[in-house]
Amino acid sequence: MFVADKWKDYEVIAAGNGEKYERWGNVFLRRPDPQAFWPIPEEFKKNGWDSNVHAIYKRSSTGGGAWSRLKPMPQRWTINYNSLGKELVFGIEPTSFKHTGLFPEQADNWDFCGRLIEKAKENGRKDIKILNLFAYTGAATVAVSAHGADEVVHVDASKGMILKAKENLKLSGLENNYVRFIAEDCGRFIEREIRRGRKYDGIIMDPPAYGRGPSGELWKLEDSLYDFMDKCTELLSDNPLFMICSSYASAITAKSSGDVMSLTVAHKLGGTVEAEELGLPVSDMKSCKVILPCGATARWVP
């Protein structure tokens, strides 16, 4: 398991009963998590495990849900993450979809990419180009830029998410770094880049479980991932550093995403693939060695 266990400003305090209780800086939130299907142990309940909570996300019987605020809290605030000595800053804002604008379990991937980029730079590599697909609010974009990528191409279909990604870049003091923000369907973008002969030294992707393609066609990850990853292989440079694919789709396990990467990238270019679940340690349940699973990641290196 790839465990993001180096956070100072974030923690999962407890988890159970289909929920997780988290600290985001000085703000405490409770929200649903289907992976935490065990009961909250009685000793945690007695200790008032959620007594400090500022807001709880409650699902609606008709679909969706909303945050119920129990204590005064900011509409938006920031938290920091130290990635191998690089201080990254991210804006946090609870949304109507229960998300906060950041997936903290991805921190282990940020460190992984940063380590490879920094090593390449130490060995004299120049003009390192990284492509971040389905890039959301740009945490990975911020990380690879901070670690020395000379060019980052950030692609997401949502213009609103791109605005938040630009803000995160500025919060981290990286607004003058070379990052190209592109609001476009990722499938259409990679087809065009292949035709242009563009190449990248690293590719990061976090495709959604479901969506719509550029012509309105239904995107279902388990039906589309192989072809998408196979096309992305064509975008890797002659001396690539990595490819990473994360998935939060319940139908895609770590093993299956790793198999797809082995059948595409590794089959064509050699190298090795490692695929594991992403995890977050549960701080008040360490004695039980509880690590909350949070999706899956497959990593390829040459």
Side-chain angles (χ1 to χ4, degrees):
M1 178 176 270
F2 302 137
V3 182
D5 56 2
K6 296 178 178 61
W7 278 98
K8 303 297 183 185
D9 278 4
Y10 170 85
E11 63 179 321
V12 180
I13 298 171
N17 295 340
E19 290 184 298
K20 56 187 173 187
Y21 174 42
E22 306 163 289
R23 178 179 65 83
W24 298 82
N26 296 320
V27 178
F28 296 82
L29 303 177
R30 244 177 66 189
R31 56 180 176 151
D33 193 311
Q35 294 296 323
F37 52 80
W38 52 82
I40 288 286
E42 287 301 320
E43 61 264 34
F44 299 118
K45 290 182 182 179
K46 291 176 182 177
N47 292 334
W49 68 282
D50 62 350
S51 60
N52 292 322
V53 69
H54 288 82
I56 300 175
Y57 186 88
K58 296 182 179 179
R59 294 194 183 278
S60 169
S61 58
T62 58
W67 288 94
S68 175
R69 284 174 165 77
L70 307 181
K71 293 182 178 181
M73 58 178 281
Q75 185 69 28
R76 184 173 173 82
W77 66 99
T78 61
I79 65 172
N80 292 30
Y81 178 73
N82 188 295
S83 176
L84 309 178
K86 305 295 184 182
E87 200 69 24
L88 313 181
V89 186
F90 304 110
I92 304 300
E93 183 177 7
T95 71
S96 58
F97 299 103
K98 87 167 182 175
H99 298 305
T100 63
L102 186 72
F103 291 89
E105 64 273 11
Q106 288 287 338
D108 195 66
N109 280 333
W110 309 336
D111 292 351
F112 172 81
C113 296
R115 195 174 292 111
L116 291 173
I117 292 170
E118 289 191 3
K119 183 178 179 181
K121 300 287 280 191
E122 289 169 2
N123 291 333
R125 283 287 294 273
K126 298 180 179 179
D127 299 323
I128 293 176
K129 298 179 176 66
I130 306 297
L131 175 61
N132 188 10
L133 297 166
F134 310 99
Y136 192 48
T137 58
T141 295
V142 171
V144 296
S145 184
H147 284 291
D150 298 281
E151 178 183 347
V152 185
V153 177
H154 173 115
V155 186
D156 196 279
S158 169
K159 292 181 179 179
M161 292 301 105
I162 284 179
L163 288 175
K164 292 182 184 298
K166 289 180 178 179
E167 182 179 348
N168 282 332
L169 201 70
K170 186 175 182 179
L171 286 170
S172 297
L174 303 171
E175 63 270 28
N176 293 324
N177 286 17
Y178 186 27
V179 179
R180 296 170 55 214
F181 291 96
I182 298 174
E184 189 175 1
D185 173 83
C186 289
R188 179 181 291 169
F189 175 82
I190 63 169
E191 293 278 6
R192 191 176 72 248
E193 292 294 89
I194 290 171
R195 292 194 298 270
R196 289 177 171 178
R198 284 272 294 177
K199 298 292 182 180
Y200 295 91
D201 301 300
I203 299 177
I204 302 164
M205 66 183 84
D206 187 357
Y210 298 97
R212 292 284 178 182
S215 301
E217 66 272 20
L218 179 65
W219 163 283
K220 191 177 179 182
L221 186 56
E222 56 264 40
D223 296 335
S224 307
L225 183 59
Y226 179 92
D227 287 339
F228 190 86
M229 197 177 294
D230 197 43
K231 289 177 181 176
C232 284
T233 303
E234 297 183 49
L235 295 177
L236 287 170
S237 68
D238 293 336
N239 190 16
L241 299 177
F242 59 81
M243 181 185 284
I244 292 181
C245 179
S246 296
S247 169
Y248 292 89
S250 58
I252 306 291
T253 64
K255 179 64 169 65
S256 60
S257 61
D259 286 344
V260 170
M261 192 167 274
S262 294
L263 290 165
T264 54
V265 191
H267 179 67
K268 290 182 176 180
L269 303 180
T272 59
V273 173
E274 188 176 13
E276 297 284 351
E277 286 185 294
L278 295 167
L280 288 165
V282 183
S283 60
D284 276 8
M285 303 170 79
K286 282 182 179 177
S287 60
C288 304
K289 298 182 180 179
V290 174
I291 297 177
L292 187 65
C294 308
T297 284
R299 300 169 174 172
W300 171 85
V301 293

